[in-house]
Structures are given as C-alpha cells and as structure tokens.
Amino acid sequence: MRSFLKLDNKYLIDQSHLLGSGAFSKVYSGKDIRTEEPLAIKLINKKSEIHFYENALNEIQILKLLKHKNIVAIKEVVDSKEILYVVMEFCSGITLDKYLKEYGKLP
C-alpha cells in the first residue's frame, strides 16, 4: 500500500518508494503537485549528529550554486522542526554507487 506525505502544499512524497538511504537521511520518490514533475526528496533528520547536519547544510549551499547537466539540481529546501527536506530533480537509472561497483570507474 502506498503512503504519501504532502510537503508544503507543493510536493507529494511517496514514502513507500525509497530511492536510497544513508546514515542520517533517506531519499524518496516524489512529485510536484502542480506540474506532476517527478522528483527525488531527501529527508535529513535534524536530530542526527551535529557535524553531519552541518555538513549537509554546507553541501546544500554549494549544490544550490552549481548548475551543470551532470549535477543533480536542488529545486527547494523545506525546513521543519525535525526534518530538513531537500527537493531535487529526479534522475532515472542506477545510482553512482551501483555504477562504480558494476563498471569500476567513470568514463
């Protein structure tokens, strides 16, 4: 059964479709409610270790400045009391980690 979370009345997060996860974050499939654009939405637990949260904030600030066809674009960051939501463009295909395991290196 699918489980959806509405974020900021703009986005739907499909909590039943996990795209990836790390130590302190999870990335779910989502979409823009208005345009139906598919998205990836990262949920970062703000109660995680402080250095991880600070690193995540630094990474977000840098990625917001970068515009390149090979870098996932950040559409918006939504801050709540316990979770930081990073709304990103959705890239289909395998993850970088899986690619490296399968092919060994980037071309």
Side-chain angles (χ1 to χ4, degrees):
M1 186 169 127
R2 296 189 94 112
S3 173
F4 292 95
L5 171 68
K6 190 179 272 190
L7 175 61
D8 213 25
N9 286 322
K10 296 180 190 175
Y11 310 106
L12 276 182
I13 301 171
D14 185 351
Q15 293 182 298
S16 59
H17 190 190
L18 182 68
L19 298 174
S21 63
F24 303 104
S25 66
K26 293 183 179 182
V27 181
Y28 292 97
S29 177
K31 71 176 180 178
D32 185 306
I33 294 171
R34 298 160 294 173
T35 66
E36 299 285 318
E37 176 187 10
L39 300 166
I41 303 177
K42 181 183 279 192
L43 285 65
I44 299 171
N45 183 350
K46 291 170 68 173
K47 297 189 187 263
S48 61
E49 294 180 34
I50 191 69
H51 74 276
F52 173 80
Y53 181 67
E54 289 173 351
N55 287 346
L57 290 177
N58 289 335
E59 180 182 334
I60 289 165
Q61 292 304 320
I62 292 167
L63 287 173
K64 285 169 95 176
L65 297 173
L66 298 174
K67 306 288 184 227
H68 190 275
K69 66 178 182 170
N70 294 331
I71 298 174
V72 175
I74 292 179
K75 305 280 189 178
E76 184 175 2
V77 177
V78 179
D79 199 358
S80 73
K81 185 177 179 179
E82 295 183 10
I83 304 289
L84 186 67
Y85 299 90
V86 183
V87 180
M88 304 173 288
E89 70 178 322
F90 175 77
C91 298
S92 61
I94 64 172
T95 65
L96 178 59
D97 183 53
K98 287 180 183 175
Y99 182 92
L100 293 174
K101 285 178 183 170
E102 186 170 332
Y103 299 106
K105 64 179 182 175
L106 294 173

